[in-house]
Amino acid sequence: MAASMRSIGRLFCRTNLLHQSLQAVRPGHVTLPAIRSHQVGTPCMQLNRQFCTPVSPEKDVADTLDALSRYKDRPWEYLESEEYIERYGTRPVWSDYRRNHKGGVPPQKTRKTCIRGDKICGNPCPICRDPNVIIHYQNVKLLQQFVSPYTGLVLDPTRTGVCMKQQKRLNQAVETARDHGLMPLQVPHVDFSGQDYSNSHAAVGNTPPAPVKTSEPWYYWYGTLNPDDREVARVKKIYKDYLKK
């Protein structure tokens, strides 16, 4: 009986050591709970209790949900946070992005969307890859990163790498921000200094008088034609009720 217990204890020791080596190679997996030593009765089980550190993935999920709920109502605060400065610095969110495509020539259009239901593409666009980057018309600092300072137009998605779904949201957010006066609207300047506002030229001169009406027909050959009597009688017969009036 004692020999059988010793063999069982050795087997459990080897199994636990193998399991610990696998956990060292593949980190992030939850370790198996340590078996109490009094269940087997061998001192080697106490060794397993030192290396078994329980992992709580619920804590990481809770932190992520907390960050999402924090920036959901006020997305502009994320651009002033330490997390954003550490990740992007002073560069735009699309500065270090490169879409994965075949060949050296990028495609003429970006993808329609990066997230379809529960499926996410391998390399999401700069907006879809960061859940804290939320497009909102009050998030002016984010919208200014996608607007050209020279022309005032929204940058082409082939340059920023934004998918077409997010690009449509960007266009709508920029228009709404300009309507609310949060972003400047550049109107092209037109110089009217060389224009002539006087009424001396023909464009703003007096209207010429109307031509005098004459009794002559409009066409020179109109008075020389003689209508057929039979056609005139047929037409009078058709419209005799209207001719009486």
Side-chain angles (χ1 to χ4, degrees), residues 151-171:
T151 61
L153 302 176
V154 181
L155 297 176
D156 194 80
T158 56
R159 179 180 178 183
T160 59
V162 178
C163 62
M164 301 306 296
K165 182 179 180 180
Q166 299 293 347
Q167 183 71 17
K168 185 178 180 180
R169 292 180 179 178
L170 274 173
N171 296 334

Side-chain angles (χ1 to χ4, degrees), residues 8 27 43 120 124 184 199 215-216:
I8 293 174
I120 304 176
N199 17 346
S215 59
E216 297 180 359

Side-chain angles (χ1 to χ4, degrees), residues 37-99:
S37 60
H38 67 274
Q39 293 179 354
V40 181
T42 55
C44 66
M45 291 296 102
Q46 297 290 338
L47 186 62
N48 189 22
R49 301 183 66 181
Q50 299 177 2
F51 294 97
C52 290
T53 56
V55 179
S56 58
E58 298 178 356
K59 183 178 179 181
D60 298 338
V61 175
D63 295 342
T64 305
L65 294 177
D66 186 17
L68 290 176
S69 61
R70 181 174 52 200
Y71 299 121
K72 182 177 181 181
D73 298 332
R74 304 175 67 87
W76 49 87
E77 293 183 353
Y78 175 64
L79 277 76
E80 299 177 356
S81 62
E82 297 180 357
E83 181 182 358
Y84 176 84
I85 297 174
E86 182 180 357
R87 182 171 183 178
Y88 300 103
T90 58
R91 301 168 299 171
V93 295
W94 52 268
S95 61
D96 57 345
Y97 176 80
R98 184 183 183 277
R99 181 184 174 185

